[in-house]
Amino acid sequence: MKLHRIETGNFMLDGGAMFGVVPKALWERTNPADEKNRIKMAARSLLIEDGDRLILIDTGMGNKQSDKFYGHYAIWGDHTLDSSLQKAGFHRDDITDVFFTHLHFDHCGGAIEFNSNGILVPAFKNARFWSHQNHWEWAKKPNPREKASFLPENILPIHESGQLELLIGTEKQLKKTALGFDILLMDGHTEKQMLPMIQYQGKTIVFAADLIPTVGHLPIPYVMGYDTRPLLTLEEKASFLDRAVANDFLLFLEHDAENELISLEQTAKGVRCKESFLFDNYFKS
């Protein structure tokens, strides 16, 4: 097995929305804001090369939306999904599986594109698309709070393609899945968000997705305003972080523009970042 960090593109989001009820004077210590109160965000995916399978975890937001849409998110930097795949030695047609932690547009938008005839089609024509059955049903009929994140142009073409695979099970940890890794289920951010647990070079890497989007979200009360069940997120974070420290997990951060991979330690203030690493430096070929 070999893992590849895949940068799909950077954007910006309102810092207040990203930290909920936490005052700006506190969250901006780790996530400084610009003059419009926006903080820098990454859309960092992970590619698992395992035998004949190439599994891509999340796809970023893609490039099919309007300039007005992207204007809301202040796209910055030079990263693209295709250039990152090329750097790793692959093309999107090589991908055998696309795994979605959840179906918010910044996690799945890159899975669907317009073809030359202006029709929405899968951007990964040879891949199976993996979601959780409960989450899929949740996303098809979004609540008003998440409607702006579950975009029909991202979700419906996946189903229409015939490439969709749905995972089932409501245990907190789905073991020995068809993808070759265990999955942690989290319900605070959205229904059945899935966090992959990957065994690699003697370490357990957890793809933290939107449970812990940035280092700044490690303190338990630092919960996004986007979460549908924030009190449940508090419980899920506390339990997960205690387990992560006890078992020396590494966290792969999807949205932290500066920190890619972190280790954790227990402090007087709770679980905090022990060390931050560049993924490719930590796991050298």
Side-chain angles (χ1 to χ4, degrees), residues 73-86:
Y73 302 102
I75 307 300
W76 60 277
D78 299 322
H79 296 304
T80 68
L81 176 56
D82 285 325
S83 64
S84 293
L85 288 174
Q86 183 179 21

Side-chain angles (χ1 to χ4, degrees), residues 29-83:
R29 296 173 185 173
T30 55
N31 299 75
D34 69 1
E35 69 282 357
K36 294 184 178 180
N37 206 47
R38 301 173 303 187
I39 62 173
K40 289 184 175 181
M41 301 281 289
R44 183 175 298 116
S45 298
L46 191 62
L47 182 65
I48 304 173
E49 181 183 359
D50 191 8
D52 294 332
R53 300 183 80 170
L54 277 175
I55 305 170
L56 182 65
I57 300 174
D58 283 349
T59 66
M61 64 175 67
N63 57 13
K64 67 179 175 295
Q65 304 293 343
S66 67
D67 290 342
K68 181 179 180 181
F69 178 93
Y70 292 118
H72 293 308
Y73 302 102
I75 307 300
W76 60 277
D78 299 322
H79 296 304
T80 68
L81 176 56
D82 285 325
S83 64

Side-chain angles (χ1 to χ4, degrees), residues 229-264:
R229 306 176 180 113
L231 294 180
L232 182 55
T233 298
L234 295 178
E235 297 176 10
E236 291 175 337
K237 279 178 64 177
S239 176
F240 169 74
L241 288 174
D242 284 345
R243 180 182 177 187
V245 170
N247 292 279
D248 197 26
F249 293 168
L250 294 173
L251 303 192
F252 184 90
L253 300 180
E254 185 168 14
H255 285 316
D256 195 311
E258 304 296 333
N259 301 283
E260 299 174 2
L261 187 74
I262 63 170
S263 61
L264 302 170

Side-chain angles (χ1 to χ4, degrees), residues 20 31 94 119 122 174-175 184 191 199 238 264 273 278 280:
N31 299 75
D94 299 323
I119 298 172
L174 303 181
K175 297 183 178 181
L184 298 176
E191 177 72 12
Q199 306 302 318
L264 302 170
C273 177
L278 295 176
D280 292 340

Side-chain angles (χ1 to χ4, degrees), residues 155-224:
I155 297 171
L156 296 181
I158 292 175
H159 182 263
E160 293 166 357
S161 73
Q163 296 170 227
L164 177 64
E165 300 281 352
L166 295 175
L167 293 164
I168 61 173
T170 57
E171 302 87 355
K172 283 298 183 182
Q173 182 170 336
L174 303 181
K175 297 183 178 181
K176 298 180 180 179
T177 68
L179 290 145
F181 49 76
D182 287 2
I183 297 167
L184 298 176
L185 296 183
M186 301 289 173
D187 295 310
H189 179 59
T190 188
E191 177 72 12
K192 297 297 177 288
Q193 178 183 201
M194 299 193 292
L195 309 187
M197 299 180 68
I198 302 159
Q199 306 302 318
Y200 186 57
Q201 295 188 15
K203 302 294 292 185
T204 299
I205 303 170
V206 178
F207 191 96
D210 279 352
L211 178 67
I212 304 170
T214 76
V215 165
H217 290 85
L218 285 171
I220 301 302
Y222 288 45
V223 172
M224 292 188 291

